[in-house]
Structure formats: structure tokens, C-alpha cells
PDB file of all heavy atoms in Angstrom:
ATOM      1  N   GLY A   1     -26.798   7.860 -23.664  1.00  0.00           N
ATOM      2  CA  GLY A   1     -27.000   8.753 -24.786  1.00  0.00           C
ATOM      3  C   GLY A   1     -27.445  10.135 -24.351  1.00  0.00           C
ATOM      4  O   GLY A   1     -27.765  10.369 -23.177  1.00  0.00           O
ATOM      5  N   ALA A   2     -27.465  11.078 -25.314  1.00  0.00           N
ATOM      6  CA  ALA A   2     -27.988  12.418 -25.036  1.00  0.00           C
ATOM      7  C   ALA A   2     -29.432  12.298 -24.551  1.00  0.00           C
ATOM      8  O   ALA A   2     -29.862  13.029 -23.669  1.00  0.00           O
ATOM      9  CB  ALA A   2     -27.895  13.290 -26.281  1.00  0.00           C
ATOM     10  N   ASN A   3     -30.177  11.338 -25.134  1.00  0.00           N
ATOM     11  CA  ASN A   3     -31.476  10.957 -24.604  1.00  0.00           C
ATOM     12  C   ASN A   3     -31.166   9.970 -23.482  1.00  0.00           C
ATOM     13  O   ASN A   3     -30.697   8.857 -23.732  1.00  0.00           O
ATOM     14  CB  ASN A   3     -32.318  10.296 -25.697  1.00  0.00           C
ATOM     15  CG  ASN A   3     -33.628   9.742 -25.168  1.00  0.00           C
ATOM     16  OD1 ASN A   3     -33.814   9.547 -23.965  1.00  0.00           O
ATOM     17  ND2 ASN A   3     -34.545   9.458 -26.072  1.00  0.00           N
ATOM     18  N   THR A   4     -31.387  10.361 -22.240  1.00  0.00           N
ATOM     19  CA  THR A   4     -30.967   9.558 -21.086  1.00  0.00           C
ATOM     20  C   THR A   4     -31.688   8.212 -20.979  1.00  0.00           C
ATOM     21  O   THR A   4     -31.339   7.400 -20.141  1.00  0.00           O
ATOM     22  CB  THR A   4     -31.141  10.351 -19.772  1.00  0.00           C
ATOM     23  OG1 THR A   4     -32.513  10.736 -19.641  1.00  0.00           O
ATOM     24  CG2 THR A   4     -30.244  11.585 -19.764  1.00  0.00           C
ATOM     25  N   ASN A   5     -32.656   7.974 -21.846  1.00  0.00           N
ATOM     26  CA  ASN A   5     -33.325   6.676 -21.891  1.00  0.00           C
ATOM     27  C   ASN A   5     -32.585   5.692 -22.795  1.00  0.00           C
ATOM     28  O   ASN A   5     -33.046   4.569 -22.977  1.00  0.00           O
ATOM     29  CB  ASN A   5     -34.769   6.831 -22.388  1.00  0.00           C
ATOM     30  CG  ASN A   5     -35.618   7.594 -21.393  1.00  0.00           C
ATOM     31  OD1 ASN A   5     -35.529   7.363 -20.190  1.00  0.00           O
ATOM     32  ND2 ASN A   5     -36.422   8.514 -21.889  1.00  0.00           N
ATOM     33  N   ASN A   6     -31.473   6.132 -23.388  1.00  0.00           N
ATOM     34  CA  ASN A   6     -30.734   5.305 -24.341  1.00  0.00           C
ATOM     35  C   ASN A   6     -29.320   5.009 -23.865  1.00  0.00           C
ATOM     36  O   ASN A   6     -28.747   5.764 -23.084  1.00  0.00           O
ATOM     37  CB  ASN A   6     -30.636   6.011 -25.701  1.00  0.00           C
ATOM     38  CG  ASN A   6     -31.971   6.124 -26.396  1.00  0.00           C
ATOM     39  OD1 ASN A   6     -32.954   5.505 -26.014  1.00  0.00           O
ATOM     40  ND2 ASN A   6     -32.006   6.930 -27.435  1.00  0.00           N
ATOM     41  N   MET A   7     -28.761   3.922 -24.385  1.00  0.00           N
ATOM     42  CA  MET A   7     -27.342   3.584 -24.217  1.00  0.00           C
ATOM     43  C   MET A   7     -26.701   3.585 -25.603  1.00  0.00           C
ATOM     44  O   MET A   7     -27.321   3.174 -26.580  1.00  0.00           O
ATOM     45  CB  MET A   7     -27.162   2.200 -23.588  1.00  0.00           C
ATOM     46  CG  MET A   7     -27.485   2.124 -22.116  1.00  0.00           C
ATOM     47  SD  MET A   7     -26.409   3.131 -21.064  1.00  0.00           S
ATOM     48  CE  MET A   7     -24.819   2.386 -21.332  1.00  0.00           C
ATOM     49  N   VAL A   8     -25.443   4.037 -25.648  1.00  0.00           N
ATOM     50  CA  VAL A   8     -24.682   4.069 -26.889  1.00  0.00           C
ATOM     51  C   VAL A   8     -23.509   3.109 -26.746  1.00  0.00           C
ATOM     52  O   VAL A   8     -22.818   3.105 -25.724  1.00  0.00           O
ATOM     53  CB  VAL A   8     -24.156   5.489 -27.190  1.00  0.00           C
ATOM     54  CG1 VAL A   8     -23.347   5.510 -28.476  1.00  0.00           C
ATOM     55  CG2 VAL A   8     -25.310   6.488 -27.261  1.00  0.00           C
ATOM     56  N   PHE A   9     -23.300   2.303 -27.772  1.00  0.00           N
ATOM     57  CA  PHE A   9     -22.172   1.375 -27.817  1.00  0.00           C
ATOM     58  C   PHE A   9     -21.348   1.690 -29.055  1.00  0.00           C
ATOM     59  O   PHE A   9     -21.899   1.859 -30.143  1.00  0.00           O
ATOM     60  CB  PHE A   9     -22.664  -0.075 -27.881  1.00  0.00           C
ATOM     61  CG  PHE A   9     -23.495  -0.473 -26.707  1.00  0.00           C
ATOM     62  CD1 PHE A   9     -24.885  -0.396 -26.756  1.00  0.00           C
ATOM     63  CD2 PHE A   9     -22.898  -0.910 -25.533  1.00  0.00           C
ATOM     64  CE1 PHE A   9     -25.663  -0.756 -25.667  1.00  0.00           C
ATOM     65  CE2 PHE A   9     -23.672  -1.271 -24.435  1.00  0.00           C
ATOM     66  CZ  PHE A   9     -25.059  -1.196 -24.499  1.00  0.00           C
ATOM     67  N   VAL A  10     -20.027   1.779 -28.884  1.00  0.00           N
ATOM     68  CA  VAL A  10     -19.115   2.100 -29.983  1.00  0.00           C
ATOM     69  C   VAL A  10     -17.978   1.091 -29.974  1.00  0.00           C
ATOM     70  O   VAL A  10     -17.386   0.835 -28.925  1.00  0.00           O
ATOM     71  CB  VAL A  10     -18.516   3.520 -29.838  1.00  0.00           C
ATOM     72  CG1 VAL A  10     -17.579   3.844 -30.998  1.00  0.00           C
ATOM     73  CG2 VAL A  10     -19.609   4.573 -29.712  1.00  0.00           C
ATOM     74  N   ALA A  11     -17.660   0.554 -31.130  1.00  0.00           N
ATOM     75  CA  ALA A  11     -16.467  -0.276 -31.297  1.00  0.00           C
ATOM     76  C   ALA A  11     -15.669   0.313 -32.449  1.00  0.00           C
ATOM     77  O   ALA A  11     -16.220   0.579 -33.522  1.00  0.00           O
ATOM     78  CB  ALA A  11     -16.823  -1.722 -31.601  1.00  0.00           C
ATOM     79  N   ASN A  12     -14.392   0.561 -32.207  1.00  0.00           N
ATOM     80  CA  ASN A  12     -13.488   1.029 -33.253  1.00  0.00           C
ATOM     81  C   ASN A  12     -12.542  -0.106 -33.610  1.00  0.00           C
ATOM     82  O   ASN A  12     -11.984  -0.759 -32.723  1.00  0.00           O
ATOM     83  CB  ASN A  12     -12.678   2.243 -32.782  1.00  0.00           C
ATOM     84  CG  ASN A  12     -13.543   3.466 -32.609  1.00  0.00           C
ATOM     85  OD1 ASN A  12     -14.581   3.600 -33.231  1.00  0.00           O
ATOM     86  ND2 ASN A  12     -13.126   4.351 -31.738  1.00  0.00           N
ATOM     87  N   VAL A  13     -12.366  -0.333 -34.901  1.00  0.00           N
ATOM     88  CA  VAL A  13     -11.458  -1.366 -35.386  1.00  0.00           C
ATOM     89  C   VAL A  13     -10.456  -0.743 -36.359  1.00  0.00           C
ATOM     90  O   VAL A  13     -10.666   0.363 -36.855  1.00  0.00           O
ATOM     91  CB  VAL A  13     -12.215  -2.533 -36.059  1.00  0.00           C
ATOM     92  CG1 VAL A  13     -13.137  -3.232 -35.062  1.00  0.00           C
ATOM     93  CG2 VAL A  13     -13.019  -2.071 -37.261  1.00  0.00           C
ATOM     94  N   GLN A  14      -9.374  -1.458 -36.613  1.00  0.00           N
ATOM     95  CA  GLN A  14      -8.357  -1.043 -37.582  1.00  0.00           C
ATOM     96  C   GLN A  14      -7.714   0.293 -37.218  1.00  0.00           C
ATOM     97  O   GLN A  14      -7.785   1.260 -37.957  1.00  0.00           O
ATOM     98  CB  GLN A  14      -8.939  -0.955 -38.998  1.00  0.00           C
ATOM     99  CG  GLN A  14      -9.565  -2.220 -39.507  1.00  0.00           C
ATOM    100  CD  GLN A  14     -10.158  -2.052 -40.881  1.00  0.00           C
ATOM    101  OE1 GLN A  14      -9.555  -1.444 -41.742  1.00  0.00           O
ATOM    102  NE2 GLN A  14     -11.340  -2.590 -41.067  1.00  0.00           N
ATOM    103  N   GLY A  15      -7.073   0.337 -36.102  1.00  0.00           N
ATOM    104  CA  GLY A  15      -6.458   1.572 -35.647  1.00  0.00           C
ATOM    105  C   GLY A  15      -5.306   2.042 -36.511  1.00  0.00           C
ATOM    106  O   GLY A  15      -4.732   1.292 -37.300  1.00  0.00           O
ATOM    107  N   LEU A  16      -4.986   3.320 -36.345  1.00  0.00           N
ATOM    108  CA  LEU A  16      -3.851   3.971 -36.998  1.00  0.00           C
ATOM    109  C   LEU A  16      -3.928   3.945 -38.521  1.00  0.00           C
ATOM    110  O   LEU A  16      -2.919   3.780 -39.201  1.00  0.00           O
ATOM    111  CB  LEU A  16      -2.530   3.370 -36.509  1.00  0.00           C
ATOM    112  CG  LEU A  16      -2.279   3.471 -35.003  1.00  0.00           C
ATOM    113  CD1 LEU A  16      -1.003   2.737 -34.617  1.00  0.00           C
ATOM    114  CD2 LEU A  16      -2.240   4.913 -34.545  1.00  0.00           C
ATOM    115  N   ILE A  17      -5.128   4.128 -39.067  1.00  0.00           N
ATOM    116  CA  ILE A  17      -5.274   4.256 -40.522  1.00  0.00           C
ATOM    117  C   ILE A  17      -4.779   5.642 -40.895  1.00  0.00           C
ATOM    118  O   ILE A  17      -5.311   6.649 -40.419  1.00  0.00           O
ATOM    119  CB  ILE A  17      -6.735   4.061 -40.961  1.00  0.00           C
ATOM    120  CG1 ILE A  17      -7.242   2.680 -40.548  1.00  0.00           C
ATOM    121  CG2 ILE A  17      -6.861   4.265 -42.465  1.00  0.00           C
ATOM    122  CD1 ILE A  17      -8.739   2.493 -40.741  1.00  0.00           C
ATOM    123  N   SER A  18      -3.765   5.710 -41.723  1.00  0.00           N
ATOM    124  CA  SER A  18      -3.185   6.998 -42.108  1.00  0.00           C
ATOM    125  C   SER A  18      -4.116   7.723 -43.078  1.00  0.00           C
ATOM    126  O   SER A  18      -4.912   7.088 -43.779  1.00  0.00           O
ATOM    127  CB  SER A  18      -1.819   6.801 -42.763  1.00  0.00           C
ATOM    128  OG  SER A  18      -1.985   6.178 -44.029  1.00  0.00           O
ATOM    129  N   PRO A  19      -4.018   9.052 -43.143  1.00  0.00           N
ATOM    130  CA  PRO A  19      -4.839   9.792 -44.105  1.00  0.00           C
ATOM    131  C   PRO A  19      -4.652   9.290 -45.540  1.00  0.00           C
ATOM    132  O   PRO A  19      -5.615   9.215 -46.297  1.00  0.00           O
ATOM    133  CB  PRO A  19      -4.364  11.234 -43.941  1.00  0.00           C
ATOM    134  CG  PRO A  19      -3.898  11.297 -42.517  1.00  0.00           C
ATOM    135  CD  PRO A  19      -3.266   9.952 -42.269  1.00  0.00           C
ATOM    136  N   SER A  20      -3.437   8.889 -45.895  1.00  0.00           N
ATOM    137  CA  SER A  20      -3.199   8.412 -47.260  1.00  0.00           C
ATOM    138  C   SER A  20      -3.843   7.053 -47.522  1.00  0.00           C
ATOM    139  O   SER A  20      -4.093   6.695 -48.666  1.00  0.00           O
ATOM    140  CB  SER A  20      -1.695   8.337 -47.545  1.00  0.00           C
ATOM    141  OG  SER A  20      -1.074   7.411 -46.669  1.00  0.00           O
ATOM    142  N   SER A  21      -4.143   6.293 -46.462  1.00  0.00           N
ATOM    143  CA  SER A  21      -4.784   4.979 -46.611  1.00  0.00           C
ATOM    144  C   SER A  21      -6.287   5.029 -46.364  1.00  0.00           C
ATOM    145  O   SER A  21      -6.980   4.030 -46.556  1.00  0.00           O
ATOM    146  CB  SER A  21      -4.158   3.982 -45.635  1.00  0.00           C
ATOM    147  OG  SER A  21      -2.792   3.835 -45.870  1.00  0.00           O
ATOM    148  N   SER A  22      -6.793   6.168 -45.929  1.00  0.00           N
ATOM    149  CA  SER A  22      -8.190   6.268 -45.505  1.00  0.00           C
ATOM    150  C   SER A  22      -9.188   5.961 -46.608  1.00  0.00           C
ATOM    151  O   SER A  22     -10.210   5.327 -46.374  1.00  0.00           O
ATOM    152  CB  SER A  22      -8.473   7.647 -44.920  1.00  0.00           C
ATOM    153  OG  SER A  22      -7.768   7.801 -43.701  1.00  0.00           O
ATOM    154  N   SER A  23      -8.913   6.394 -47.828  1.00  0.00           N
ATOM    155  CA  SER A  23      -9.885   6.184 -48.903  1.00  0.00           C
ATOM    156  C   SER A  23     -10.043   4.705 -49.251  1.00  0.00           C
ATOM    157  O   SER A  23     -11.068   4.303 -49.787  1.00  0.00           O
ATOM    158  CB  SER A  23      -9.504   6.990 -50.141  1.00  0.00           C
ATOM    159  OG  SER A  23      -8.252   6.557 -50.633  1.00  0.00           O
ATOM    160  N   ALA A  24      -9.065   3.883 -48.937  1.00  0.00           N
ATOM    161  CA  ALA A  24      -9.137   2.454 -49.228  1.00  0.00           C
ATOM    162  C   ALA A  24      -9.625   1.634 -48.037  1.00  0.00           C
ATOM    163  O   ALA A  24      -9.852   0.429 -48.168  1.00  0.00           O
ATOM    164  CB  ALA A  24      -7.764   1.944 -49.666  1.00  0.00           C
ATOM    165  N   ALA A  25      -9.794   2.259 -46.883  1.00  0.00           N
ATOM    166  CA  ALA A  25     -10.186   1.524 -45.678  1.00  0.00           C
ATOM    167  C   ALA A  25     -11.618   1.008 -45.806  1.00  0.00           C
ATOM    168  O   ALA A  25     -12.501   1.698 -46.313  1.00  0.00           O
ATOM    169  CB  ALA A  25     -10.063   2.423 -44.458  1.00  0.00           C
ATOM    170  N   LYS A  26     -11.829  -0.221 -45.356  1.00  0.00           N
ATOM    171  CA  LYS A  26     -13.180  -0.782 -45.346  1.00  0.00           C
ATOM    172  C   LYS A  26     -13.265  -1.862 -44.286  1.00  0.00           C
ATOM    173  O   LYS A  26     -12.252  -2.389 -43.818  1.00  0.00           O
ATOM    174  CB  LYS A  26     -13.559  -1.332 -46.720  1.00  0.00           C
ATOM    175  CG  LYS A  26     -12.697  -2.460 -47.208  1.00  0.00           C
ATOM    176  CD  LYS A  26     -13.130  -2.921 -48.589  1.00  0.00           C
ATOM    177  CE  LYS A  26     -12.294  -4.126 -49.018  1.00  0.00           C
ATOM    178  NZ  LYS A  26     -12.759  -4.665 -50.276  1.00  0.00           N
ATOM    179  N   PHE A  27     -14.479  -2.174 -43.885  1.00  0.00           N
ATOM    180  CA  PHE A  27     -14.709  -3.239 -42.921  1.00  0.00           C
ATOM    181  C   PHE A  27     -14.477  -4.587 -43.610  1.00  0.00           C
ATOM    182  O   PHE A  27     -14.820  -4.768 -44.770  1.00  0.00           O
ATOM    183  CB  PHE A  27     -16.146  -3.201 -42.385  1.00  0.00           C
ATOM    184  CG  PHE A  27     -16.423  -2.030 -41.485  1.00  0.00           C
ATOM    185  CD1 PHE A  27     -17.105  -0.930 -41.962  1.00  0.00           C
ATOM    186  CD2 PHE A  27     -16.013  -2.041 -40.165  1.00  0.00           C
ATOM    187  CE1 PHE A  27     -17.379   0.151 -41.138  1.00  0.00           C
ATOM    188  CE2 PHE A  27     -16.280  -0.962 -39.329  1.00  0.00           C
ATOM    189  CZ  PHE A  27     -16.956   0.139 -39.824  1.00  0.00           C
ATOM    190  N   ASP A  28     -13.937  -5.523 -42.872  1.00  0.00           N
ATOM    191  CA  ASP A  28     -13.736  -6.874 -43.375  1.00  0.00           C
ATOM    192  C   ASP A  28     -15.064  -7.621 -43.271  1.00  0.00           C
ATOM    193  O   ASP A  28     -15.625  -7.757 -42.182  1.00  0.00           O
ATOM    194  CB  ASP A  28     -12.656  -7.569 -42.533  1.00  0.00           C
ATOM    195  CG  ASP A  28     -12.290  -8.943 -43.056  1.00  0.00           C
ATOM    196  OD1 ASP A  28     -13.102  -9.569 -43.774  1.00  0.00           O
ATOM    197  OD2 ASP A  28     -11.176  -9.401 -42.731  1.00  0.00           O
ATOM    198  N   GLU A  29     -15.566  -8.116 -44.392  1.00  0.00           N
ATOM    199  CA  GLU A  29     -16.853  -8.812 -44.396  1.00  0.00           C
ATOM    200  C   GLU A  29     -16.785 -10.182 -43.733  1.00  0.00           C
ATOM    201  O   GLU A  29     -17.802 -10.845 -43.590  1.00  0.00           O
ATOM    202  CB  GLU A  29     -17.404  -8.898 -45.815  1.00  0.00           C
ATOM    203  CG  GLU A  29     -17.805  -7.538 -46.349  1.00  0.00           C
ATOM    204  CD  GLU A  29     -18.617  -7.600 -47.633  1.00  0.00           C
ATOM    205  OE1 GLU A  29     -18.877  -8.708 -48.151  1.00  0.00           O
ATOM    206  OE2 GLU A  29     -19.003  -6.518 -48.109  1.00  0.00           O
ATOM    207  N   ASN A  30     -15.600 -10.602 -43.313  1.00  0.00           N
ATOM    208  CA  ASN A  30     -15.456 -11.863 -42.594  1.00  0.00           C
ATOM    209  C   ASN A  30     -15.339 -11.656 -41.093  1.00  0.00           C
ATOM    210  O   ASN A  30     -14.997 -12.591 -40.368  1.00  0.00           O
ATOM    211  CB  ASN A  30     -14.219 -12.618 -43.095  1.00  0.00           C
ATOM    212  CG  ASN A  30     -14.417 -13.095 -44.503  1.00  0.00           C
ATOM    213  OD1 ASN A  30     -15.434 -13.691 -44.821  1.00  0.00           O
ATOM    214  ND2 ASN A  30     -13.462 -12.808 -45.358  1.00  0.00           N
ATOM    215  N   VAL A  31     -15.641 -10.434 -40.631  1.00  0.00           N
ATOM    216  CA  VAL A  31     -15.526 -10.122 -39.208  1.00  0.00           C
ATOM    217  C   VAL A  31     -16.859  -9.590 -38.693  1.00  0.00           C
ATOM    218  O   VAL A  31     -17.414  -8.650 -39.245  1.00  0.00           O
ATOM    219  CB  VAL A  31     -14.413  -9.080 -38.957  1.00  0.00           C
ATOM    220  CG1 VAL A  31     -14.397  -8.640 -37.496  1.00  0.00           C
ATOM    221  CG2 VAL A  31     -13.058  -9.644 -39.363  1.00  0.00           C
ATOM    222  N   MET A  32     -17.358 -10.219 -37.639  1.00  0.00           N
ATOM    223  CA  MET A  32     -18.543  -9.730 -36.939  1.00  0.00           C
ATOM    224  C   MET A  32     -18.067  -9.078 -35.646  1.00  0.00           C
ATOM    225  O   MET A  32     -17.220  -9.631 -34.948  1.00  0.00           O
ATOM    226  CB  MET A  32     -19.489 -10.872 -36.585  1.00  0.00           C
ATOM    227  CG  MET A  32     -20.660 -10.414 -35.706  1.00  0.00           C
ATOM    228  SD  MET A  32     -21.765 -11.738 -35.192  1.00  0.00           S
ATOM    229  CE  MET A  32     -20.806 -12.543 -33.923  1.00  0.00           C
ATOM    230  N   VAL A  33     -18.612  -7.917 -35.337  1.00  0.00           N
ATOM    231  CA  VAL A  33     -18.340  -7.278 -34.052  1.00  0.00           C
ATOM    232  C   VAL A  33     -19.558  -7.518 -33.174  1.00  0.00           C
ATOM    233  O   VAL A  33     -20.691  -7.298 -33.598  1.00  0.00           O
ATOM    234  CB  VAL A  33     -18.057  -5.771 -34.217  1.00  0.00           C
ATOM    235  CG1 VAL A  33     -17.995  -5.083 -32.860  1.00  0.00           C
ATOM    236  CG2 VAL A  33     -16.763  -5.556 -34.985  1.00  0.00           C
ATOM    237  N   GLU A  34     -19.312  -7.988 -31.955  1.00  0.00           N
ATOM    238  CA  GLU A  34     -20.408  -8.289 -31.036  1.00  0.00           C
ATOM    239  C   GLU A  34     -20.230  -7.491 -29.758  1.00  0.00           C
ATOM    240  O   GLU A  34     -19.167  -7.527 -29.146  1.00  0.00           O
ATOM    241  CB  GLU A  34     -20.435  -9.786 -30.725  1.00  0.00           C
ATOM    242  CG  GLU A  34     -21.574 -10.201 -29.816  1.00  0.00           C
ATOM    243  CD  GLU A  34     -21.640 -11.704 -29.670  1.00  0.00           C
ATOM    244  OE1 GLU A  34     -20.974 -12.225 -28.750  1.00  0.00           O
ATOM    245  OE2 GLU A  34     -22.339 -12.332 -30.476  1.00  0.00           O
ATOM    246  N   PHE A  35     -21.271  -6.763 -29.383  1.00  0.00           N
ATOM    247  CA  PHE A  35     -21.300  -6.050 -28.107  1.00  0.00           C
ATOM    248  C   PHE A  35     -21.945  -6.998 -27.102  1.00  0.00           C
ATOM    249  O   PHE A  35     -23.097  -7.395 -27.279  1.00  0.00           O
ATOM    250  CB  PHE A  35     -22.130  -4.770 -28.219  1.00  0.00           C
ATOM    251  CG  PHE A  35     -21.586  -3.778 -29.206  1.00  0.00           C
ATOM    252  CD1 PHE A  35     -22.051  -3.754 -30.520  1.00  0.00           C
ATOM    253  CD2 PHE A  35     -20.607  -2.871 -28.837  1.00  0.00           C
ATOM    254  CE1 PHE A  35     -21.559  -2.838 -31.424  1.00  0.00           C
ATOM    255  CE2 PHE A  35     -20.103  -1.955 -29.737  1.00  0.00           C
ATOM    256  CZ  PHE A  35     -20.575  -1.938 -31.040  1.00  0.00           C
ATOM    257  N   ASN A  36     -21.208  -7.368 -26.064  1.00  0.00           N
ATOM    258  CA  ASN A  36     -21.728  -8.245 -25.018  1.00  0.00           C
ATOM    259  C   ASN A  36     -22.172  -7.375 -23.850  1.00  0.00           C
ATOM    260  O   ASN A  36     -21.402  -6.571 -23.342  1.00  0.00           O
ATOM    261  CB  ASN A  36     -20.653  -9.230 -24.561  1.00  0.00           C
ATOM    262  CG  ASN A  36     -20.275 -10.178 -25.671  1.00  0.00           C
ATOM    263  OD1 ASN A  36     -21.135 -10.705 -26.363  1.00  0.00           O
ATOM    264  ND2 ASN A  36     -18.988 -10.396 -25.854  1.00  0.00           N
ATOM    265  N   ILE A  37     -23.421  -7.578 -23.419  1.00  0.00           N
ATOM    266  CA  ILE A  37     -24.021  -6.733 -22.394  1.00  0.00           C
ATOM    267  C   ILE A  37     -24.370  -7.590 -21.179  1.00  0.00           C
ATOM    268  O   ILE A  37     -25.155  -8.530 -21.271  1.00  0.00           O
ATOM    269  CB  ILE A  37     -25.288  -6.031 -22.939  1.00  0.00           C
ATOM    270  CG1 ILE A  37     -24.933  -5.229 -24.192  1.00  0.00           C
ATOM    271  CG2 ILE A  37     -25.923  -5.154 -21.867  1.00  0.00           C
ATOM    272  CD1 ILE A  37     -26.126  -4.823 -25.027  1.00  0.00           C
ATOM    273  N   ASP A  38     -23.772  -7.240 -20.045  1.00  0.00           N
ATOM    274  CA  ASP A  38     -24.038  -7.916 -18.778  1.00  0.00           C
ATOM    275  C   ASP A  38     -24.987  -7.037 -17.975  1.00  0.00           C
ATOM    276  O   ASP A  38     -24.619  -5.951 -17.564  1.00  0.00           O
ATOM    277  CB  ASP A  38     -22.718  -8.127 -18.022  1.00  0.00           C
ATOM    278  CG  ASP A  38     -22.921  -8.698 -16.634  1.00  0.00           C
ATOM    279  OD1 ASP A  38     -24.007  -9.244 -16.349  1.00  0.00           O
ATOM    280  OD2 ASP A  38     -21.991  -8.583 -15.821  1.00  0.00           O
ATOM    281  N   ASN A  39     -26.203  -7.501 -17.748  1.00  0.00           N
ATOM    282  CA  ASN A  39     -27.199  -6.709 -17.017  1.00  0.00           C
ATOM    283  C   ASN A  39     -27.268  -7.010 -15.527  1.00  0.00           C
ATOM    284  O   ASN A  39     -27.973  -6.321 -14.800  1.00  0.00           O
ATOM    285  CB  ASN A  39     -28.593  -6.920 -17.623  1.00  0.00           C
ATOM    286  CG  ASN A  39     -28.771  -6.150 -18.899  1.00  0.00           C
ATOM    287  OD1 ASN A  39     -28.164  -5.104 -19.096  1.00  0.00           O
ATOM    288  ND2 ASN A  39     -29.605  -6.665 -19.795  1.00  0.00           N
ATOM    289  N   ASN A  40     -26.571  -8.050 -15.055  1.00  0.00           N
ATOM    290  CA  ASN A  40     -26.733  -8.410 -13.650  1.00  0.00           C
ATOM    291  C   ASN A  40     -25.416  -8.479 -12.876  1.00  0.00           C
ATOM    292  O   ASN A  40     -25.396  -8.942 -11.736  1.00  0.00           O
ATOM    293  CB  ASN A  40     -27.505  -9.730 -13.515  1.00  0.00           C
ATOM    294  CG  ASN A  40     -26.804 -10.882 -14.192  1.00  0.00           C
ATOM    295  OD1 ASN A  40     -25.627 -10.799 -14.540  1.00  0.00           O
ATOM    296  ND2 ASN A  40     -27.549 -11.969 -14.401  1.00  0.00           N
ATOM    297  N   GLY A  41     -24.317  -8.042 -13.460  1.00  0.00           N
ATOM    298  CA  GLY A  41     -23.056  -7.936 -12.743  1.00  0.00           C
ATOM    299  C   GLY A  41     -22.300  -9.228 -12.509  1.00  0.00           C
ATOM    300  O   GLY A  41     -21.373  -9.267 -11.713  1.00  0.00           O
ATOM    301  N   ASN A  42     -22.659 -10.308 -13.225  1.00  0.00           N
ATOM    302  CA  ASN A  42     -21.953 -11.580 -13.021  1.00  0.00           C
ATOM    303  C   ASN A  42     -20.827 -11.804 -14.036  1.00  0.00           C
ATOM    304  O   ASN A  42     -20.252 -12.889 -14.095  1.00  0.00           O
ATOM    305  CB  ASN A  42     -22.931 -12.751 -13.052  1.00  0.00           C
ATOM    306  CG  ASN A  42     -23.549 -12.981 -14.426  1.00  0.00           C
ATOM    307  OD1 ASN A  42     -23.401 -12.167 -15.339  1.00  0.00           O
ATOM    308  ND2 ASN A  42     -24.252 -14.088 -14.571  1.00  0.00           N
ATOM    309  N   ASN A  43     -20.531 -10.788 -14.833  1.00  0.00           N
ATOM    310  CA  ASN A  43     -19.459 -10.839 -15.838  1.00  0.00           C
ATOM    311  C   ASN A  43     -19.692 -11.869 -16.936  1.00  0.00           C
ATOM    312  O   ASN A  43     -18.753 -12.373 -17.543  1.00  0.00           O
ATOM    313  CB  ASN A  43     -18.094 -11.061 -15.182  1.00  0.00           C
ATOM    314  CG  ASN A  43     -17.740  -9.928 -14.256  1.00  0.00           C
ATOM    315  OD1 ASN A  43     -17.990  -8.763 -14.555  1.00  0.00           O
ATOM    316  ND2 ASN A  43     -17.175 -10.250 -13.106  1.00  0.00           N
ATOM    317  N   VAL A  44     -20.958 -12.189 -17.186  1.00  0.00           N
ATOM    318  CA  VAL A  44     -21.356 -13.056 -18.296  1.00  0.00           C
ATOM    319  C   VAL A  44     -22.414 -12.303 -19.087  1.00  0.00           C
ATOM    320  O   VAL A  44     -23.350 -11.750 -18.500  1.00  0.00           O
ATOM    321  CB  VAL A  44     -21.920 -14.407 -17.786  1.00  0.00           C
ATOM    322  CG1 VAL A  44     -22.426 -15.259 -18.943  1.00  0.00           C
ATOM    323  CG2 VAL A  44     -20.869 -15.150 -16.977  1.00  0.00           C
ATOM    324  N   GLU A  45     -22.274 -12.297 -20.396  1.00  0.00           N
ATOM    325  CA  GLU A  45     -23.221 -11.532 -21.204  1.00  0.00           C
ATOM    326  C   GLU A  45     -24.636 -12.104 -21.106  1.00  0.00           C
ATOM    327  O   GLU A  45     -24.839 -13.307 -21.189  1.00  0.00           O
ATOM    328  CB  GLU A  45     -22.777 -11.450 -22.667  1.00  0.00           C
ATOM    329  CG  GLU A  45     -22.750 -12.755 -23.436  1.00  0.00           C
ATOM    330  CD  GLU A  45     -21.419 -13.485 -23.365  1.00  0.00           C
ATOM    331  OE1 GLU A  45     -20.689 -13.330 -22.368  1.00  0.00           O
ATOM    332  OE2 GLU A  45     -21.113 -14.234 -24.300  1.00  0.00           O
ATOM    333  N   ASP A  46     -25.593 -11.187 -20.887  1.00  0.00           N
ATOM    334  CA  ASP A  46     -27.009 -11.538 -20.870  1.00  0.00           C
ATOM    335  C   ASP A  46     -27.644 -11.261 -22.218  1.00  0.00           C
ATOM    336  O   ASP A  46     -28.617 -11.903 -22.600  1.00  0.00           O
ATOM    337  CB  ASP A  46     -27.740 -10.725 -19.791  1.00  0.00           C
ATOM    338  CG  ASP A  46     -27.170 -10.988 -18.411  1.00  0.00           C
ATOM    339  OD1 ASP A  46     -27.175 -12.158 -17.988  1.00  0.00           O
ATOM    340  OD2 ASP A  46     -26.692 -10.027 -17.767  1.00  0.00           O
TER     341      ASP A  46
END
């Protein structure tokens, strides 16, 4: 992050939403997004 003591995580979903469809776009309440963070380099989320 701009504050070097922080990390920023971003996930983008539903690509290619056209401007004409943007006003109707919403997150699906049946979908959870999970950020998996590996702190020790073993490729398994900690």
C-alpha cells in the first residue's frame, strides 16, 4: 500500500461489462471471493 506497512488485495470479477450494462451490474450473493495468502513460500495458504 501507499502506507508501506500495509498490503492491498484486489479481485476483479465479471469482466467486459459494457457501459450500457453497467447500471445493472451487481455482485452475485451466491459467490464468495477468498484471498489466499501464503506467508512461508510453500504454495499453501496460511
Side-chain angles (χ1 to χ4, degrees):
N3 174 343
T4 58
N5 293 317
N6 292 348
M7 286 296 297
V8 179
F9 300 95
V10 181
N12 291 334
V13 298
Q14 303 178 43
L16 301 175
I17 301 171
S18 69
S20 62
S21 300
S22 292
S23 62
K26 62 181 184 175
F27 290 102
D28 185 337
E29 292 192 359
N30 292 311
V31 174
M32 173 183 76
V33 171
E34 182 174 89
F35 298 94
N36 295 315
I37 303 164
D38 174 18
N39 283 331
N40 60 15
N42 68 350
N43 298 320
V44 176
E45 65 270 28
D46 300 302

